[in-house]
Amino acid sequence: MIYLTLLLFTFTSWELPAPIDKEPVPSAFFKDRLHAYIWLNWSVVPISRIADTIGAKEEDILAIGTRMGLPKPYPVTEEEMERLHCTIIRRNWHLLPYEQIIKLLKWNTQQLAYTLREDDFLFIKLGNFKPQCSPLTFQEPDEETIEYEKQIGNMVNNLFPRGIQCWGEKPFHFIKELSDINNNHKVEVSNKEIPRYCSSYFLKYGDPFANLEESYPKGYIQKLRANGVNGVWLQSVLYLLTPFPWDMEISKGWEQRLENLRKFSEDLKKEGMKVYLYLNEPRAMPNSFYEKFPELKGVNEGEFSALCTSHPDVQDYIKNAIKMICEKVPDLGGFFTISASENLTNCWSHHHGENCPRCSKRNPSEVIAEVHQLIQSGIELANSSCRLIAWDWGWKEEWVEGIISNLPPKTAIMSVSEWDIPIIRGGINSAIGEYSLTEPGPGPRALRHWEIAQKYSHPIFAKLQIGTTWELGSVPYIPVLENVATHAVNLREKHLDGCMLGWTLGGYPSPNMQVFNLLMDHPEYNIDIALSQTAEKRFGKELAPIMVKVWKQITQAFKEYPFHIIVVYQSPVHVGPSNPLWVNPTGYIATMTGFPYDDVKNWCGVFPPEIFANQMEKVSRGFMNSLAMLKTEIGNNNIDNPMYKKNFEQECRVIEVCAIHYESTANQARFVLLRNELTNSNVSDERKKQIIENLKQIIQREKELAIREYNLQIVDSRFGFEATNHYFFVPLDLVLKSLNCEELLNNWIPQISR
């Protein structure tokens, strides 16, 4: 992988955030770091590197792993390690100091520092701090330690008498399947189609323009097109695609990237597809940059400051960079922006323009609109047909009309369709933020903003999540097709000019994608027709009615989801039964799609924990009952068509994994509540007995769920994966959770029962 970091160090030295004086979270199972380290890296890092990082020999590590019951090591390739780097960093965050993480990855300090900051906010996902870890050094095991390792091996053999595997189906096998080219693929392009673009299901971070085929191989493009998608998007950084006028060195390689984009756009056009670039510009520069160019400095945030867009030189830079991209890439579909969130860009992007000597004298709406005026101007100077789509994410409500009224007429306004829909779950009031499939939009916020846009004659776009969302990010899609279809029908009535089909997750060519685009392309279709056609295409005419019935039942179950933005970001829903059960509180706060820990207080958002658990259980039960109904109605009927059979088996696995994760989330919430109650000195003996019995049942169930999901993940490499988090969990994590549960049942439960 060519990391962006390698392009940035000509004018600054990126530093790792200093570790804080906080003890790392102890393993919920292993007695020391060494054994946790070996287990957690066994299937994601070559054994030679595991050994070298801690000063051991390969045979030392192999001997310990074998005694612990670990299978033959998986031969991890360099390509796989590149795609696993977030997984590797996350699982070693509480085990190793920075120096050893760097050694394990074979990186340098700058690569890790840049990745933590720029790889989809990885450092925030890890908690926004590094716990203090002393170096881990290999020590020859003594007889007592060897006996301990053998005991673990015996537990593995007892729980998995047929043995365990590192992966089963190879990691990222789905990329190979999605990349297979269909030589009979036919491209059909309709002038009536509105733009509908998504991100790659397996987008590769770093420098994606160095090899666009890695994220968007032709076979995958064909599959997206066959499911009604006509565009894809990529995050772009202007100074990597065009020369940066104040320091040409950081743009090194821009010509080749732009040429790669030109060729990619040209190839996409042949498939009836277009590419859209995500702009979050201009990117803030390190404070050292402004020692040479102090006149460009805007709002400061820590070690970085904004390139002030009120300065004429910055304005020329934006306009000329866009003009160059449009001229060099004539088949480009367009740009979409985030201008008041994500990275620090314009001085009002993080709502604190009052700290800039220039922008403090200007209205935020004026500054944000001006950024779009500059981009649109660059497009028009190039005589390009590119679209500019201004995403309203992060705009304060009092800014909206001021921004829209000052945008160029051709600029489209994009809103998150489902935002602000009020919901009641378990008697608790909440509202959809975004990333939701539980309620079909559009919601009141989008409707307000589109109305303002149309008042000023702007095109309107909807941003949706039609595949999966952070309601469960570790599955390829959540099969709530009736909600997806309802959303499509609702949006048809708004006469949209385009749709963004998902953020970085949700790009799997799913039945959700197919039914949504069928309805958008065929205004004469109703929901039942679209569901039936989607089911017939995937499962055949005989099975289709049953599948439609199941999808509708699942959709109804999903309406119990306790949506709150804190729930989707911080609860254990993405890691499911791989999250350990700790007998002692960790004291750690759950992080955004990173570590849920045992922080039940911060899993639940506005919902009381017991109601949160009840709602998750209702969702799980609905999914599991639907799966049981599906299998009952199919009965012993053989599915002769190989494609239909494969699709059916995959659909069953998706439904089951969803059910497992929602049930496990409920179990974990109840476990922590009961564990904490047990420490209350006022608990009666009778209540204590009841608590212990309930804990025993939860632990047993968690063990069963972990084993079930292990058996599902080893046959389907899609589970656990998401493009920006890589693998949330791997099969050996689920084995470890079953050991964790077995240990609690055999030792902790008897101990607290005395």
Side-chain angles (χ1 to χ4, degrees):
M1 179 184 288
I2 301 174
Y3 291 93
L4 297 183
T5 184
L6 302 179
L7 309 167
L8 291 172
F9 303 130
T10 55
F11 61 78
T12 183
S13 175
W14 288 68
E15 295 182 359
L16 289 163
I20 68 168
D21 187 17
K22 188 172 175 69
E23 287 291 315
V25 171
S27 170
F29 176 74
F30 293 107
K31 70 175 186 177
D32 56 37
R33 279 194 296 157
L34 175 65
H35 293 90
Y37 166 76
I38 292 171
W39 188 288
L40 291 175
N41 288 291
W42 190 265
S43 60
V44 295
V45 178
I47 297 298
S48 59
R49 210 174 294 184
I50 296 173
D52 185 55
T53 299
I54 61 171
K57 298 175 184 176
E58 283 189 58
E59 51 264 36
D60 297 327
I61 303 301
L62 286 168
I64 293 172
T66 301
R67 286 195 291 269
M68 288 197 295
L70 285 166
K72 181 180 178 181
Y74 175 74
V76 189
T77 67
E78 289 299 321
E79 166 67 16
E80 288 167 342
M81 280 199 70
E82 288 173 6
R83 289 191 177 274
L84 282 165
H85 69 260
C86 289
T87 300
I88 295 166
I89 292 169
R90 188 167 54 245
R91 63 210 295 105
N92 287 284
W93 197 243
H94 286 273
L95 293 175
L96 301 178
Y98 282 134
E99 296 76 18
Q100 287 186 302
I101 292 176
I102 289 166
K103 191 171 185 179
L104 192 66
L105 290 165
K106 284 194 175 179
W107 283 8
N108 57 42
T109 300
Q110 290 81 11
Q111 283 174 286
L112 181 58
Y114 189 81
T115 297
L116 291 176
R117 176 179 169 84
E118 293 291 344
D119 207 334
D120 197 51
F121 305 99
L122 179 58
F123 191 58
I124 292 173
K125 293 176 181 178
L126 295 168
N128 223 16
F129 68 89
K130 175 75 171 77
Q132 191 73 252
C133 297
S134 59
L136 180 61
T137 306
F138 177 74
Q139 298 290 331
E140 289 282 349
D142 55 22
E143 289 185 12
E144 182 181 342
T145 302
I146 290 172
E147 183 58 32
Y148 166 72
E149 292 161 359
K150 289 179 178 178
Q151 289 172 4
I152 295 172
N154 289 336
M155 289 178 70
V156 172
N157 292 334
N158 289 336
L159 288 171
F160 298 87
R162 296 181 181 178
I164 59 174
Q165 303 176 60
C166 283
W167 284 97
E169 184 172 273
K170 289 184 177 181
F172 311 108
H173 174 76
F174 57 82
I175 297 179
K176 180 181 181 299
E177 285 199 340
L178 292 174
S179 302
D180 288 344
I181 295 172
N182 178 2
N183 292 321
N184 298 318
H185 174 70
K186 294 181 180 179
V187 178
E188 296 181 5
V189 180
S190 168
N191 292 329
K192 295 180 180 179
E193 280 188 344
I194 62 171
R196 293 192 294 270
Y197 57 95
C198 69
S199 179
S200 172
Y201 175 59
F202 46 92
L203 182 72
K204 194 170 183 183
Y205 272 69
D207 187 1
F209 294 95
N211 187 348
L212 289 159
E213 178 72 12
E214 288 183 316
S215 294
Y216 288 106
K218 185 175 180 180
Y220 174 57
I221 291 294
Q222 288 180 342
K223 291 173 180 63
L224 290 178
R225 191 73 189 101
N227 281 279
V229 178
N230 57 26
V232 298
W233 70 266
L234 289 157
Q235 179 171 328
S236 58
V237 178
L238 283 184
Y239 62 67
L240 295 178
L241 287 176
T242 61
F244 190 62
W246 301 282
D247 191 332
M248 299 286 285
E249 190 62 25
I250 70 166
S251 299
K252 190 174 181 180
W254 69 268
E255 299 96 334
Q256 188 58 57
R257 291 188 199 92
L258 211 50
E259 172 58 20
N260 292 348
L261 178 59
R262 183 200 66 77
K263 182 65 167 61
F264 179 58
S265 299
E266 188 179 83
D267 290 343
L268 278 186
K269 186 178 180 181
K270 298 171 186 173
E271 299 293 331
M273 303 271 278
K274 290 186 177 180
V275 61
Y276 296 82
L277 299 182
Y278 159 46
L279 295 179
N280 192 208
E281 296 286 348
R283 300 303 276 265
M285 290 288 117
N287 291 331
S288 56
F289 169 84
Y290 298 102
E291 293 172 9
K292 191 172 181 181
F293 304 102
E295 71 281 4
L296 304 180
K297 188 175 182 180
V299 168
N300 171 255
E301 285 186 5
E303 298 176 1
F304 287 76
S305 295
L307 273 175
C308 180
T309 58
S310 293
H311 194 286
D313 290 353
V314 177
Q315 294 175 357
D316 287 343
Y317 160 59
I318 296 171
K319 182 168 54 179
N320 292 332
I322 297 298
K323 177 176 180 288
M324 177 176 286
I325 292 171
C326 292
E327 287 176 339
K328 298 286 186 182
V329 190
D331 295 314
L332 189 66
F335 303 92
F336 70 92
T337 65
I338 291 181
S339 51
S341 182
E342 302 296 307
N343 300 283
L344 176 64
T345 56
N346 68 78
C347 291
W348 280 106
S349 61
H350 285 180
H351 302 184
H352 289 292
E354 71 274 7
N355 296 323
C356 171
R358 286 175 291 266
C359 296
S360 60
K361 300 171 185 175
R362 305 182 68 193
N363 188 289
S365 301
E366 179 187 354
V367 172
I368 291 172
E370 186 175 61
V371 172
H372 293 90
Q373 290 165 5
L374 294 166
I375 297 170
Q376 188 72 57
S377 178
I379 293 171
E380 290 173 5
L381 284 171
N383 293 317
S384 172
S385 60
C386 271
R387 286 180 176 269
L388 173 58
I389 304 156
W391 189 355
D392 62 11
W393 210 107
W395 293 357
K396 287 189 175 182
E397 201 62 34
E398 60 266 29
W399 297 354
V400 173
E401 185 152 7
I403 295 172
I404 293 174
S405 64
N406 283 292
L407 291 177
K410 291 182 180 179
T411 303
I413 307 302
M414 182 163 72
S415 282
V416 176
S417 183
E418 66 271 23
W419 203 319
D420 266 2
I421 297 175
I423 59 171
I424 300 175
R425 298 288 186 268
I428 304 298
N429 291 317
S430 185
I432 304 300
E434 59 170 337
Y435 294 124
S436 179
L437 284 166
T438 185
E439 285 292 335
R445 184 179 185 273
L447 293 173
R448 284 196 308 272
H449 292 192
W450 290 337
E451 184 178 355
I452 295 170
Q454 290 173 323
K455 173 182 171 182
Y456 293 99
S457 302
H458 290 284
I460 56 173
F461 274 58
K463 185 272 174 186
L464 314 98
Q465 290 291 147
I466 61 165
T468 191
T469 76
W470 294 124
E471 290 159 328
L472 180 47
S474 49
V475 293
Y477 57 95
I478 305 172
V480 287
L481 273 77
E482 190 174 27
N483 269 355
V484 174
T486 302
H487 204 156
V489 169
N490 292 347
L491 290 177
R492 277 193 326 207
E493 298 172 1
K494 303 304 172 187
H495 305 292
L496 295 173
D497 297 284
C499 296
M500 179 174 169
L501 302 179
W503 188 235
T504 56
L505 73 170
Y508 186 83
S510 62
N512 301 32
M513 189 178 283
Q514 185 179 348
V515 77
F516 181 86
N517 290 316
L518 262 179
L519 285 162
M520 297 304 285
D521 283 336
H522 296 278
E524 72 277 13
Y525 283 9
N526 62 28
I527 290 172
D528 286 336
I529 290 173
L531 290 174
S532 295
Q533 281 200 15
T534 299
E536 283 182 20
K537 186 172 182 179
R538 289 178 175 265
F539 309 107
K541 285 191 175 183
E542 185 176 345
L543 187 53
I546 303 170
M547 213 66 240
V548 170
K549 184 178 174 182
V550 167
W551 284 337
K552 287 186 174 184
Q553 185 165 309
I554 287 172
T555 299
Q556 290 307 306
F558 203 61
K559 289 184 180 295
E560 296 290 346
Y561 190 97
F563 186 95
H564 187 268
I565 199 66
I566 297 299
V567 171
V568 300
Y569 276 149
Q570 294 182 190
S571 78
V573 70
H574 310 300
V575 294
S578 71
N579 197 42
L581 300 177
W582 284 272
V583 297
N584 296 309
T586 66
Y588 270 79
I589 297 172
T591 71
M592 183 184 76
T593 71
F595 298 118
Y597 302 115
D598 55 347
D599 185 22
V600 69
K601 180 182 176 182
N602 286 301
W603 291 348
C604 306
V606 297
F607 299 94
E610 191 55 48
I611 290 178
F612 167 80
N614 289 343
Q615 292 305 119
M616 284 292 183
E617 184 180 22
K618 287 178 187 177
V619 177
S620 174
R621 193 185 309 124
F623 274 70
M624 199 55 75
N625 289 345
S626 299
L627 180 63
M629 181 183 76
L630 175 59
K631 290 184 175 180
T632 298
E633 296 211 13
I634 295 301
N636 296 320
N637 296 332
N638 291 322
I639 304 173
D640 297 325
N641 183 299
M643 183 185 76
Y644 296 159
K645 183 177 181 180
K646 180 180 179 181
N647 290 343
F648 172 75
E649 290 172 348
Q650 287 187 336
E651 193 76 7
C652 288
R653 289 198 294 266
V654 168
I655 296 169
E656 185 171 2
V657 169
C658 289
I660 287 171
H661 278 242
Y662 296 133
E663 182 183 348
S664 179
T665 299
N667 289 341
Q668 291 176 54
R670 288 173 177 150
F671 173 87
V672 176
L673 291 173
L674 291 168
R675 180 202 70 183
N676 293 348
E677 186 182 354
L678 200 60
T679 63
N680 189 332
S681 58
N682 296 323
V683 173
S684 67
D685 289 344
E686 191 61 34
R687 175 60 183 157
K688 182 179 177 181
K689 288 180 182 178
Q690 184 182 4
I691 290 171
I692 292 171
E693 183 58 34
N694 290 345
L695 283 169
K696 185 177 178 180
Q697 292 173 8
I698 289 169
I699 296 165
Q700 178 64 33
R701 185 59 178 164
E702 277 294 281
K703 182 178 75 171
E704 293 168 2
L705 293 179
I707 293 171
R708 277 174 66 181
E709 183 145 13
Y710 163 82
N711 287 319
L712 291 164
Q713 192 180 28
I714 60 173
V715 297
D716 197 328
S717 61
R718 300 173 303 169
F719 298 131
F721 177 80
E722 190 276 322
T724 61
N725 290 281
H726 300 165
Y727 276 98
F728 280 105
F729 56 90
V730 303
L732 289 184
D733 295 336
L734 295 160
V735 174
L736 181 57
K737 174 63 175 288
S738 70
L739 298 177
N740 168 215
C741 292
E742 188 76 349
E743 176 75 10
L744 296 182
L745 290 169
N746 292 340
N747 294 311
W748 184 59
I749 290 294
Q751 177 187 330
I752 61 176
S753 299
R754 293 185 190 124

